[in-house]
Amino acid sequence: MEKQKLSSYEKLVYVAYGYFILLGVIDLLLSFLWGGFFNYWAFIALAVFGIQAWYKHKVANLILGVLTLTGSIFATLEFLSKGHKSGFNFFVNVMTGVSVVGLIMSVILIFSYTKLSFKDI
């Protein structure tokens, strides 16, 4: 059994998986510790990206990329709106940054469908 080397784009896809898994873990922990409830959406996101990192399904990358891109666009616009209304404090700046990084990671997942589909040819 030979080890195949990962391309640089495959490494970027794993970074995107790690980013969304980390967001799910942080959201799950913060909602449980500070809010006192179990966040099902964070758990579902954690499970979906964990399963996707294991199986590496190309069409699922496209679907997850489109879904997270939509969510990241709405989150970015929401925090920019809050910053415009109440001033850009530390929280709004950090959350806007997290949303913009989410946009970038979503685009990586979307383009992984085309970049990695032609790898086997």
Side-chain angles (χ1 to χ4, degrees):
M1 177 155 52
E2 66 183 64
K3 287 276 200 185
Q4 75 181 43
K5 291 191 62 125
L6 293 176
S7 69
S8 60
Y9 202 82
E10 286 175 314
K11 291 176 186 174
L12 282 176
V13 170
Y14 278 115
V15 168
Y17 291 155
Y19 177 77
F20 288 117
I21 288 171
L22 183 66
L23 278 181
V25 166
I26 289 172
D27 194 15
L28 191 65
L29 287 175
L30 290 180
S31 63
F32 188 70
L33 294 176
W34 287 353
F37 66 95
F38 184 76
N39 190 343
Y40 292 104
W41 289 109
F43 180 74
I44 289 170
L46 179 64
V48 165
F49 278 103
I51 291 169
Q52 179 61 16
W54 182 262
Y55 288 108
K56 301 177 279 260
H57 195 266
K58 292 176 187 121
V59 176
N61 269 351
L62 179 64
I63 294 168
L64 288 174
V66 169
L67 291 175
T68 55
L69 181 68
T70 305
S72 296
I73 288 171
F74 283 126
T76 303
L77 292 175
E78 175 71 25
F79 287 113
L80 286 175
S81 171
K82 285 186 182 193
H84 179 68
K85 289 178 185 173
S86 64
F88 285 95
N89 57 14
F90 179 73
F91 175 75
V92 173
N93 288 336
V94 168
M95 293 309 291
T96 304
V98 167
S99 300
V100 169
V101 172
L103 284 168
I104 295 167
M105 296 299 164
S106 299
V107 170
I108 288 173
L109 287 178
I110 290 171
F111 283 116
S112 73
Y113 177 72
T114 57
K115 293 280 280 186
L116 299 179
S117 293
F118 296 116
K119 181 182 174 199
D120 299 331
I121 296 175

